[in-house]
Every structure is written in C-alpha cells, then in structure tokens.
Amino acid sequence: MEDLIPIYSILIGTAPVFVACVVGIVMAGVYWSRARKSALLMLVACVLQVLLLVAHSVMSGWYIPHLMHEGTSSAIQVLATSWALVSSLLHAIALGLMIWAAFSGRHHAPPPP
C-alpha cells in the first residue's frame, strides 16, 4: 500500500482536471438526446483524459521509480521520453475531440442581406 502513495499524490495534483472530465462525462450524458454527435465526442475525449491521468500517475508515481532501482538510466530515459511523446499526442487528440464537439452540429450562418 505504501507503494501507491506517490500515485495518490499525483492524482490529487490532477484533481481539477479529473473533476472537469467527470463533469464533461455527466454533461455528455445529459445532452445525449439533444446533440448525440457532440455528446459522443465529448464522452470519448473525457474518458481518454481520465485514462491518461491515471496512466500518467502510475507511470510517474510507481513504474518509473521502480524501474530506476532495476534498470539502466538510458532505458529509463528512453521510456520517459517515449511516454511523454505518446501521452502528449493522446492529450492533443482529446483536446481536438473536445474542439470538434464544441463546433459539431452547427449550421452555417445565413449571408448578410
């Protein structure tokens, strides 16, 4: 259980983003019948963000520290760099899905008279 304390401390640090994602998931459920496409995009983006928050906490709080005791520094550096690149790409995808959700289903404005 003591091994999980760093994971909890990282999750507490990301609590505002986690709460925002939970609110996004709830709002997607509330607006599902009125804006299905936008709600689906928001739901996927928020679930992806929550999974990334948990994965980042596990990587930073448990996996990398345990790897430091067993692995070489070059292997740790490659893993940390790879994880940073992959998680950044996935965060960008989630943000893109949220932007798409915000503008999905909008109609073109009529031309001015």
Side-chain angles (χ1 to χ4, degrees):
M1 190 69 176
E2 284 184 20
D3 289 343
L4 299 178
I5 291 174
I7 295 172
Y8 294 140
S9 65
I10 294 170
L11 282 174
I12 288 171
T14 60
V17 177
F18 184 80
V19 170
C21 288
V22 170
V23 169
I25 291 169
V26 169
M27 293 300 292
V30 168
Y31 286 101
W32 186 265
S33 62
R34 290 184 3 197
R36 189 170 305 243
K37 183 177 179 182
S38 294
L40 178 64
L41 291 169
M42 184 61 72
L43 180 67
V44 171
C46 288
V47 168
L48 179 60
Q49 284 285 61
V50 167
L51 292 175
L52 283 170
L53 289 173
V54 172
H56 173 73
S57 299
V58 170
M59 286 292 289
S60 299
W62 185 81
Y63 189 71
I64 291 178
H66 278 78
L67 192 62
M68 290 173 71
H69 293 294
E70 298 172 4
T72 63
S73 62
S74 63
I76 296 167
Q77 186 176 10
V78 168
L79 176 70
T81 303
S82 301
W83 171 247
L85 182 64
V86 168
S87 67
S88 178
L89 178 65
L90 290 174
H91 277 291
I93 290 171
L95 181 60
L97 287 171
M98 289 180 197
I99 292 169
W100 187 10
F103 295 107
S104 178
R106 308 266 179 170
H107 301 291
H108 294 286

